[in-house]
Amino acid sequence: MDAPRERWTGQDAGPVVRPYALTRGRTRPRGAPLDLVAILVATGKAPGERVRLTREQRRLLELCRRPSTPADLASEADLPLRVVQILLDDLRQLGLIERREPQRDRARPDGRILMRVLDELRRL
C-alpha cells in the first residue's frame, strides 16, 4: 500500500509557505529589532544590480512609500510580525528604507485645557 501523500496546502489558502522559508532560515534580524511602532519610510534608492529582493520584500518596500509601522506592514502584507521584522531589517541594511523619528510638537499643551479634560473625565 502506498502511504498517503502529505499535502502542504490549505483548502482556501493555497500552498503553505513556512515563515523560515521567507526569511532564508533566519529567526532574528541581523541588526537591532525594529519596534512595533517605529515609523518606516522608503528612501527612494534603487536596489543594486546584485540585490535580488523577494516578492515579500518588494511588497513591503512598496508599502513603505508612505510612512508605516512594522505592525501595520505585517497586517497589510498578511505575514507574521517576526517575519516582517526580519525582512524589514534586510531592507534597512540595504539602505532601501529608513526609520523616521516622529515629529514632536515643542509647544506644551495649555494646563487649563488638560484640567478641564480631566474634570470632564471624572464626571463620566
Side-chain angles (χ1 to χ4, degrees), residues 47-59:
E49 291 179 18
R50 299 181 126 180
V51 175
R52 289 205 106 113
L53 299 178
T54 64
R55 179 177 55 214
E56 291 78 15
Q57 287 172 319
R58 287 192 307 270
R59 173 83 172 122

Side-chain angles (χ1 to χ4, degrees), residues 75-104:
S75 174
E76 190 82 23
D78 196 27
L79 291 170
L81 179 64
R82 190 54 141 185
V83 169
V84 169
Q85 286 177 315
I86 294 168
L87 297 177
L88 289 172
D89 182 63
D90 291 344
L91 294 174
R92 184 175 60 172
Q93 289 190 10
L94 292 169
L96 301 176
I97 63 170
E98 64 185 9
R99 182 181 179 162
R100 291 258 172 101
E101 294 300 322
Q103 303 242 341
R104 302 198 190 284

Side-chain angles (χ1 to χ4, degrees), residues 13-51:
V16 174
V17 178
R18 295 288 187 193
Y20 60 80
L22 299 174
T23 62
R24 298 181 185 118
R26 287 180 292 125
T27 58
R28 291 193 172 107
R30 290 183 181 118
L34 291 166
D35 189 73
L36 293 176
V37 293
I39 307 291
L40 303 171
V41 66
T43 61
K45 295 179 185 176
E49 291 179 18
R50 299 181 126 180
V51 175

Side-chain angles (χ1 to χ4, degrees), residues 105-118:
D105 187 9
R106 302 262 183 224
R108 299 191 78 166
D110 186 352
R112 293 175 294 175
I113 293 174
L114 293 176
M115 288 305 294
R116 187 170 176 193
V117 168
L118 184 59

